[in-house]
Amino acid sequence: QVQLQESGPGLVMPSQTLSLTCTVSGGSITSSYYGWGWIRQPPGKGLEWMAVIAYDGVTFYDPSLQSRTSISRDTSKNQFSLHLSSVTPEDTAVYYCARAPVVTATPEEYDLWGQGTQVTVSS
């Protein structure tokens, strides 16, 4: 049974870089043809897809966040990570890592999710 677990700080100072890691167990992040993504939900808003890294390491980003976002992976640890720079209070959200059967930017197409981690940007 594949499981995803997010880890990272719950509080980040404005202008700093938010770094989150998703640890995958029960399956490999290099298995064809899965996409491994980051999705967030700000308070009172809907799901926002941020980025995805494919089974072969190819990455895609939401254009509105691309300049501040980086997604990467460590295949030896079966983990993938998100880095979001220059954060502001508007980046406060629950952040989820998730798996999709194909590389996609549509949150509804992700079929396996981590429990989510609350990140607050505040001084």
Side-chain angles (χ1 to χ4, degrees):
Q1 181 180 358
V2 180
Q3 294 183 320
L4 290 75
Q5 179 66 57
E6 305 90 349
S7 60
L11 179 65
V12 183
M13 300 280 286
S15 81
Q16 299 299 305
T17 295
L18 164 66
S19 296
L20 297 171
T21 296
C22 184
T23 300
V24 179
S25 59
S28 173
I29 61 173
T30 62
S31 296
S32 305
Y33 296 96
Y34 290 107
W36 304 89
W38 287 97
I39 297 160
R40 69 182 181 179
Q41 186 166 28
K45 297 184 179 180
L47 296 170
E48 298 181 354
W49 176 81
M50 301 179 70
V52 63
I53 185 164
Y55 67 99
D56 57 359
V58 177
T59 59
F60 299 90
Y61 297 92
D62 180 281
S64 68
L65 295 171
Q66 186 167 3
S67 64
R68 300 196 290 131
T69 307
S70 175
I71 188 170
S72 60
R73 67 180 185 174
D74 185 335
T75 56
S76 68
K77 297 180 179 179
N78 215 37
Q79 295 175 332
F80 63 103
S81 297
L82 175 78
H83 302 283
L84 180 66
S85 64
S86 304
V87 297
T88 73
E90 286 66 43
D91 293 309
T92 295
V94 178
Y95 285 75
Y96 299 92
C97 61
R99 184 198 72 177
V102 294
V103 175
T104 179
T106 304
E108 291 76 12
E109 294 182 356
Y110 285 77
D111 61 358
L112 191 64
W113 294 65
Q115 65 182 23
T117 186
Q118 173 69 48
V119 176
T120 300
V121 179
S122 176
S123 56

